[in-house]
Amino acid sequence: PLSPTPTPSGTCLDYVLEAADLLDSCCRRLSLIGPRDNALSDLALYLATTERQIHEYVLQILADAGEAARPGVDDYNLMVTCARLSTIRVTLESDVVYSDVGRKSGGVNSLLFYLINTLHLCLQRISDADTILCGVSASRSRSRSWALDVDKRHVSGYFRSRSATEDGADGLDKTIIATGTDGAQRLAKRQMITNTVFRWGKRVCVSLGVGGIMWYALDKRERYNSEGNRKNIAKTAGKIVGGVFLRSVLARRYEVWRLRHRLSESTQSLAMWQQKWIIISSVVSTNKLRKNISYNQLIAQPSAEDHNEESKASSRRLLEALPLRSNKGAFWYSQGALRLLLVRRVMDLVYASVGTAMDMTGPNGAYGLWVPLAGMFASYYAVAGPDVTSTKAAHMVASPSMDFVKRAWGMVTIPPIRWLSTEAARLFKGIAIIERVTIGGVGCLVISHAPNPCLEAAIKRGRRQQNRKDRHLSDITEEPGSNLKSSSRDDLEINDVIFHITGGGWFIHTTATDIPFLSEWSASTNSVVVVPEYDLLPEHHFPVALNQVTDAYKALCDGGAENVLGFRTGRIAVTGESAGGNLATALTVKLCYDGIVDVEKERNKIIDEGKVMVKRQSSSENFFNRARSRDNSRTRERGTVTLPNCLMLSCPALNMCHSMSPSRIMGTGDPVLPSGLIQMISDQYVPEGCGIGKDHPLASPYFASDEILSCFPSTLLWVSAADPLLDDAVDFNTRLRRMGVNSSIHAAQHMPHAFWGLSNAGFPEAVKVMKSCNMFLCDVIVGNEEEEEKEKEKGDAKV
């Protein structure tokens, strides 16, 4: 379920070679069986078409790399062409010319990855078809003969480890290898006939055997000893024979039907892949002309086509109006795909019921009447079927209004839901403190899993002062350290802080769904979580939310929040999901862009720490250990603001432009964030009259300068493999790594956009992601505490 995204260098070549290996294996494995069923014939047609498309793509890579064409060889065999590509692979990855290849091929990596997964499933289903149609022994023999030939033909190295574990060829394997494809098909035909005869003979024997046993048992009974009853015994035994025989026939028919359905599903997946390949290839070729950089980038530069409907390509307008959807006729789902389908059904139900209720009550909602109407229509759509529900939902999200988004997404922010989430966190998660305070003039939710006497005392002080204000009494200033022996700042405790910025498209705060995993972060890192509740759309546009988040962060750094929190801030980890990921990244950009932090000082600090890092750590250490390389001292100078110690983002919306990219095409039908919502949110957050463009680095951190990105702290990005904003994170990670920043990106399969909250529902993929996030935060925060204690012990020993 979790798939780390490789580094940009060589990624496309790895995927191309592995896809070529799998295609050749599927074609050869299927050719050994022959046209034993119509479903196999249909699959063979799409495999052959896919093989030609990949072959053409490999030839194009060779042409871009300056390799001379060899029509008599390359046009004939994909594996020969891939062998040429494999021989020059090292040169392509190290030479400057690879930048052209990477620019041309970067946008198809996600499709190649999808193709590899599809071909793995095809190969397994072809083997299952061989087993069902021709028998177990014949299928195993063909699998062994195929594995023996793999090591000679395949170039990516994926199958070599598998073939090395296979047993040697027996007599039947050698016969298959020696006779070739035609002989193998004739042999498969004979085996199929033999298997059919054996199967029918087995049915007859089993049926007669069961009938004979029942006849013998009934005949031994005393009450059936009469001659007249023997006829009834024979009839009963005959019925049993017929029933057993019919059950065997029906079981075989069901097995074959299920096989055909699964083969048809693979055929549909390949057909969908081919359609997307044509569109993505054309988009990448067009985007290549609109790029102004020399390295791999998936999202095109902004252009007039993004805003002018008349200048858009017809295919783009069509996909925006009718988003791509997954196959809905599948009978067999994996567990992950079934969970994703459940999320899609729930979101379709929400969008359809809220949209229908708004159609009846109007934009104002008839003073709350839309709520019971939405519940009533939810009951209707729950039994109306997925087609009716998804059609209505697609109609509503194609061109949504602000009121629709606030009501559809805002169902998790209504007071009863928020109260229930808070009380459940206290009861089941064991949260000791969860209160709302004001930090830097911004309302914030403060969460601490462990008891914190200083924080509790500060909150009580704040309540008393607020009560005095409410009663119009004069303020009595209480020192922040009144519960300590000294009121000086040095006497205050130091607590690490997780500064979490919620998502919700700037329309809502997802605090209710975030509290459970925030409590886990607080418990595992022994830190305090601060969640700023910035002002929302549609009343407040850019840059209100960013300024408020910055004010709260500055108050944490420079000591302005000490009176409110009762402790000094140590390390700060900034996290954010979706729109919160945009604000978290824009916060770091703004600190450098506005000169709040010294960019040159931060860059020199990174360079110096990098030199120390080379001496102290080997290159084999993982990302989480390397994340400690930043200066993570807990002591902060009062009145100064520094960059956060780390960034952790999930599905961040880093590019507010409407530029096309492969993920934005394939993810147009995302259950949580379809393409219509992306454009509406972008236009509302950065409206035309705000004085800046959508490509401003504070609105779209994707466009931040290299100088600013080189100062970024250690960054961990989590995305969904089918997220429409996947390319935002991939491109941003590419730029960070090019600037020498310790950045890593990982993708979770079978997850929608903004999936952190699904860990509360027990989704295994989201739970594993949460474990990874906990590990990252612990290594950055807790790990550095251990290092500091060791350094302190060494210093004391020297003294």
Side-chain angles (χ1 to χ4, degrees):
L2 304 181
S3 175
T5 303
T7 57
S9 178
T11 299
C12 179
L13 299 185
D14 291 337
Y15 285 174
V16 167
L17 294 177
E18 185 173 347
D21 283 351
L22 285 166
L23 273 171
D24 184 72
S25 300
C26 289
C27 293
R28 288 179 59 79
R29 188 69 177 83
L30 187 55
S31 64
L32 294 177
I33 305 175
R36 305 274 78 87
D37 192 89
N38 290 335
L40 292 176
S41 300
D42 295 339
L43 181 60
L45 174 63
Y46 281 95
L47 283 173
T49 309
T50 305
E51 190 266 350
R52 286 294 88 192
Q53 289 179 307
I54 294 297
H55 193 187
E56 189 69 25
Y57 182 68
V58 174
L59 289 175
Q60 189 61 51
I61 292 179
L62 293 174
D64 290 344
E67 289 289 311
R70 299 189 300 178
V73 180
D74 289 337
D75 292 344
Y76 179 73
N77 194 307
L78 171 63
M79 299 310 296
V80 174
T81 309
C82 287
R84 286 187 63 197
L85 180 61
S86 180
T87 57
I88 65 171
R89 174 180 173 183
V90 177
T91 305
L92 286 177
E93 294 175 354
S94 60
D95 197 355
V96 179
V97 73
Y98 178 70
S99 61
D100 295 331
V101 178
R103 184 165 66 250
K104 185 174 184 61
S105 60
V108 299
N109 286 350
S110 54
L111 267 184
L112 288 174
F113 182 76
Y114 173 79
L115 175 63
I116 289 171
N117 291 335
T118 302
L119 291 176
H120 277 301
L121 195 57
C122 283
L123 194 59
Q124 180 60 45
R125 289 174 176 175
I126 291 172
S127 179
D128 293 342
D130 195 6
T131 301
I132 293 174
L133 297 177
C134 300
V136 177
S137 60
S139 174
R140 289 177 178 174
S141 298
R142 268 188 288 274
S143 297
R144 285 196 294 268
S145 65
W146 161 77
L148 290 172
D149 194 37
V150 159
D151 193 54
K152 301 178 182 178
R153 299 176 55 85
H154 292 170
V155 293
S156 72
Y158 170 77
F159 290 98
R160 290 197 180 103
S161 60
R162 293 186 59 183
S163 62
T165 61
E166 296 289 345
D167 298 332
D170 55 17
L172 183 56
D173 300 336
K174 295 178 180 178
T175 302
I176 294 174
I177 296 174
T179 56
T181 301
D182 293 337
Q185 290 189 9
R186 290 194 297 270
L187 184 61
K189 184 176 181 180
R190 291 197 299 269
Q191 291 168 344
M192 184 175 181
I193 295 173
T194 303
N195 186 45
T196 302
V197 173
F198 173 77
R199 189 171 59 252
W200 281 95
K202 181 180 178 181
R203 288 174 185 166
V204 172
C205 292
V206 171
S207 301
L208 292 177
V210 173
I213 292 174
M214 294 302 299
W215 182 85
Y216 180 80
L218 293 175
D219 185 59
K220 287 298 182 181
R221 289 192 173 186
E222 296 181 358
R223 59 178 178 174
Y224 288 121
N225 284 337
S226 62
E227 190 67 27
N229 287 335
R230 290 185 179 273
K231 294 183 180 180
N232 295 332
I233 295 175
K235 291 180 181 180
T236 303
K239 292 178 180 179
I240 293 174
V241 169
V244 173
F245 188 84
L246 180 61
R247 183 241 175 228
S248 176
V249 172
L250 292 178
R252 172 67 180 181
R253 291 290 182 269
Y254 172 74
E255 187 179 31
V256 173
W257 173 84
R258 189 179 66 175
L259 170 67
R260 289 171 178 169
H261 191 90
R262 298 175 73 182
L263 290 173
S264 177
E265 186 183 28
S266 295
T267 303
Q268 293 177 10
S269 298
L270 287 175
M272 177 65 74
W273 180 89
Q274 292 177 12
Q275 296 166 10
K276 292 181 179 180
W277 178 266
I278 295 173
I279 297 174
I280 297 299
S281 299
S282 62
V283 170
V284 171
S285 299
T286 303
N287 289 355
K288 183 181 67 172
L289 304 177
R290 291 165 51 186
K291 289 177 177 152
N292 54 12
I293 57 176
S294 61
Y295 56 86
N296 180 14
Q297 189 181 37
L298 304 182
I299 304 179
Q301 294 295 318
S303 70
E305 178 187 339
D306 299 331
H307 307 281
N308 189 351
E309 291 293 330
E310 296 298 327
S311 62
K312 286 184 180 179
S314 299
S315 59
R316 176 172 177 177
R317 291 200 301 267
L318 179 62
L319 289 176
E320 290 176 355
L322 299 172
L324 297 175
R325 301 185 190 179
S326 60
N327 297 332
K328 58 184 179 180
F331 177 80
W332 223 257
Y333 287 103
S334 65
Q335 293 184 3
L338 191 61
R339 287 188 289 269
L340 181 59
L341 179 65
L342 176 63
V343 175
R344 183 180 297 277
R345 293 288 181 263
V346 171
M347 295 306 301
D348 284 347
L349 185 66
V350 171
Y351 289 148
S353 58
V354 173
T356 306
M358 289 188 61
D359 290 341
M360 297 189 64
T361 59
N364 59 5
Y367 304 101
L369 183 60
W370 71 274
V371 176
L373 287 177
M376 181 181 66
F377 287 117
S379 303
Y380 162 73
Y381 284 114
V383 298
D387 289 338
V388 176
T389 307
S390 61
T391 301
K392 178 61 178 179
H395 173 71
M396 294 304 303
V397 300
S399 55
S401 63
M402 292 184 294
D403 295 323
F404 169 76
V405 175
K406 285 187 71 69
R407 291 192 174 99
W409 287 1
M411 298 182 73
V412 298
T413 64
I414 58 178
I417 298 296
R418 298 180 66 175
W419 176 85
L420 183 63
S421 174
T422 302
E423 295 305 317
R426 295 182 190 273
L427 180 62
F428 298 107
K429 296 294 183 178
I431 293 181
I433 302 174
I434 177 168
E435 298 290 344
R436 282 178 171 79
V437 298
T438 301
I439 300 176
V442 182
C444 298
L445 184 69
V446 178
I447 300 173
S448 177
H449 186 273
N452 192 317
C454 297
L455 177 59
E456 292 176 352
I459 292 175
K460 291 179 180 178
R461 265 197 320 273
R463 287 178 177 172
R464 288 197 298 267
Q465 292 181 359
Q466 185 62 40
N467 290 335
R468 294 190 187 101
K469 291 181 179 180
D470 294 341
R471 297 173 184 175
H472 304 287
L473 300 176
S474 59
D475 290 343
I476 300 177
T477 304
E478 297 186 38
E479 295 296 331
S482 57
N483 60 328
L484 304 174
K485 293 182 179 180
S486 175
S487 61
S488 65
R489 181 177 186 266
D490 295 336
D491 291 333
L492 293 177
E493 292 185 358
I494 300 177
N495 279 300
D496 298 321
V497 171
I498 298 176
F499 192 68
H500 178 72
I501 308 175
T502 60
W506 293 280
F507 278 97
I508 64 169
H509 290 297
T510 57
T511 310
T513 58
D514 293 355
I515 287 178
F517 64 77
L518 291 178
S519 65
E520 295 178 2
W521 292 356
S522 176
S524 60
T525 61
N526 194 27
S527 58
V528 177
V529 179
V530 176
V531 183
E533 297 182 332
Y534 51 87
D535 291 336
L536 301 171
L537 293 173
E539 294 82 8
H540 304 280
H541 305 277
F542 176 86
V544 174
L546 178 58
N547 290 339
Q548 291 179 342
V549 168
T550 304
D551 291 341
Y553 179 84
K554 288 167 58 179
L556 289 174
C557 288
D558 61 18
E562 292 175 2
N563 290 337
V564 178
L565 299 178
F567 60 80
R568 285 188 294 159
T569 303
R571 303 181 190 89
I572 301 180
V574 177
T575 64
E577 186 173 41
S578 189
N582 174 289
L583 292 174
T585 312
L587 167 65
T588 309
V589 173
K590 183 178 177 62
L591 295 176
C592 301
Y593 189 86
D594 291 349
I596 301 174
V597 299
D598 190 343
V599 175
E600 193 64 28
K601 181 179 178 181
E602 291 290 336
R603 187 181 297 108
N604 293 334
K605 184 189 302 183
I606 294 174
I607 295 174
D608 294 339
E609 290 160 2
K611 295 178 181 179
V612 176
M613 189 66 182
V614 173
K615 298 179 181 179
R616 294 179 56 189
Q617 293 185 333
S618 64
S619 59
S620 62
E621 293 191 56
N622 59 29
F623 168 77
F624 300 109
N625 290 331
R626 295 196 305 270
R628 305 180 187 178
S629 61
R630 285 300 299 262
D631 179 16
N632 287 325
S633 174
R634 304 184 74 189
T635 304
R636 292 180 179 272
E637 184 180 351
R638 186 177 179 86
T640 62
V641 179
T642 60
L643 292 177
N645 294 92
C646 69
L647 279 178
M648 188 170 68
L649 313 174
S650 170
C651 306
L654 301 175
N655 189 342
M656 304 308 295
C657 297
H658 296 173
S659 303
M660 294 300 289
S661 74
S663 68
R664 296 192 184 195
I665 290 177
M666 293 196 300
T668 52
D670 184 83
V672 176
L673 192 67
S675 58
L677 291 180
I678 295 176
Q679 296 187 15
M680 190 275 292
I681 292 173
S682 173
D683 293 337
Q684 290 298 321
Y685 181 60
V686 190
E688 294 182 359
C690 69
I692 66 168
K694 289 183 172 60
D695 58 349
H696 193 281
L698 296 183
S700 298
Y702 179 93
F703 296 100
S705 65
D706 291 346
E707 181 183 13
I708 292 177
L709 293 184
S710 64
C711 300
F712 262 56
S714 298
T715 303
L716 174 64
L717 298 104
W718 270 105
V719 292
S720 166
D723 194 336
L725 304 182
L726 169 65
D727 292 339
D728 295 38
V730 173
D731 276 356
F732 195 71
N733 178 69
T734 300
R735 295 192 61 197
L736 289 177
R737 293 179 68 89
R738 285 177 59 85
M739 293 297 103
V741 177
N742 187 26
S743 177
S744 178
I745 182 171
H746 300 267
Q749 300 295 320
H750 303 303
M751 286 285 103
H753 173 79
F755 55 86
W756 270 354
L758 293 179
S759 62
N760 308 328
F763 281 58
E765 297 86 355
V767 171
K768 291 182 179 180
V769 171
M770 281 294 108
K771 291 181 180 179
S772 174
C773 294
N774 270 323
M775 185 186 303
F776 176 74
L777 292 173
C778 288
D779 283 333
V780 172
I781 297 177
V782 181
N784 282 285
E785 292 182 8
E786 297 174 355
E787 289 186 359
E788 285 184 359
E789 291 178 0
K790 292 180 181 179
E791 293 293 336
K792 185 177 180 181
E793 290 176 0
K794 290 181 180 179
D796 294 341
K798 290 181 180 179
V799 173

